[in-house]
Amino acid sequence: MSSERLAPLIVLAGPSGAGKTTIVDRLLSTTKLPIRRAITATSREPRHDEVHGVHYYFWTRDEFEKKIVAGQMLEHAIVHGRDYYGTPTAEVQGPREAGIAVILIIDVQGAEQVRRACPNGLVTVFLMPPVFDDLAARLRKRGEPEETIRRRLESAVRESACIGEFQHRLVNAEVDTAARELERIIESQFPQPRSATCSSN
Ligand code: 5GP
């Protein structure tokens, strides 16, 4: 399939705790559009409820570095100053060629690499919490240690400075509303079907 015919690629970025995964899960459970979330990879430890191959591919640093050297990563970055995170190319290319839109939940460094690597059919969205102070509360609810929360809030300030580089901004005041808005943005990126033409004879 030529690159102009690829299904859309959606980059969703925004501070940790803004609700990116919640909104994407809501969208995926309600939409009729062909959309999937790419499973990305990380070298951080899984949280107690996280499953390899479902929430992330949990790789060691060594495994991660081998994939980078082998050219198998579409993008990768050190996020929150500590762990590798990245998108395996295989998570994106095949589905898009098959007409399925792919959502990447990644940080602003990854977003910049994807802008350069995949400009065709790309739509970038930045998600903000309604109030910045909410972030610390949302992170605490996840049971993160204070040191992790501090690092994530520092990243949030850095990430928010990049908001101008995104085509769309969404505020997560209400999950259903934000999920519907994201769906609308994605729908508008699908190639529109040509209107049927009638021919006499
Ligand atoms: P968490 O550790 O809370 O699961 O994720 C932390 C942050 O890592 C997320 O907010 C997201 O922005 C970023 N992230 C997750 N997967 C990827 C990825 O594949 N690439 C990049 N660059 N960032 C990612």
Side-chain angles (χ1 to χ4, degrees):
M1 188 180 272
S2 74
S3 59
E4 294 95 80
R5 303 292 301 278
L6 288 172
L9 176 62
I10 300 97
V11 164
L12 181 64
S16 195
K20 300 183 292 287
T21 306
T22 307
I23 284 174
V24 169
D25 286 348
R26 182 66 53 89
L27 165 68
L28 294 179
S29 67
T30 54
T31 189
K32 293 198 170 66
L33 296 171
I35 308 176
R36 75 184 291 272
R37 176 174 79 85
I39 310 299
T40 64
T42 179
S43 64
R44 80 153 163 74
E45 289 295 315
R47 299 188 186 116
H48 72 279
D49 56 346
E50 288 181 325
V51 178
H52 176 79
V54 175
H55 298 94
Y56 281 106
Y57 298 112
F58 292 99
W59 294 338
T60 62
R61 290 183 78 86
D62 193 45
E63 285 171 323
F64 212 115
E65 283 163 5
K66 285 195 175 118
K67 303 276 185 190
I68 297 169
V69 171
Q72 293 176 8
M73 303 305 288
L74 176 63
E75 59 78 32
H76 68 276
I78 303 265
V79 178
H80 305 316
R82 219 168 70 164
D83 295 300
Y84 279 121
Y85 288 78
T87 308
T89 305
E91 283 288 313
V92 174
Q93 192 63 16
R96 292 188 76 199
E97 286 176 0
I100 300 167
V102 176
I103 302 185
L104 300 180
I105 303 177
I106 60 176
D107 84 325
V108 294
Q109 307 170 76
E112 181 52 33
Q113 294 171 43
V114 174
R115 268 188 211 100
R116 277 187 262 119
C118 310
N120 289 325
L122 177 67
V123 54
T124 59
V125 182
F126 195 92
L127 184 74
M128 291 292 287
V131 188
F132 213 77
D133 287 353
D134 279 4
L135 280 180
R138 288 188 199 213
L139 292 171
R140 280 198 184 94
K141 240 200 253 167
R142 285 186 191 168
E144 304 273 16
E146 282 303 311
E147 168 59 17
T148 305
I149 293 173
R150 192 189 54 75
R151 236 180 303 109
R152 282 168 184 253
L153 290 175
E154 279 172 13
S155 299
V157 172
R158 268 199 309 278
E159 296 236 329
S160 301
C162 300
I163 193 167
E165 291 156 28
F166 287 75
Q167 295 161 313
H168 301 270
R169 288 134 216 197
L170 266 185
V171 177
N172 183 14
E174 205 273 316
V175 173
D176 282 318
T177 311
R180 269 201 304 276
E181 179 66 8
L182 182 59
E183 182 182 36
R184 201 190 52 72
I185 292 168
I186 298 170
E187 188 168 22
S188 70
Q189 300 300 313
F190 272 97
Q192 299 303 309
R194 298 224 178 106
S195 55
T197 51
C198 304
S199 67
S200 52
N201 80 340

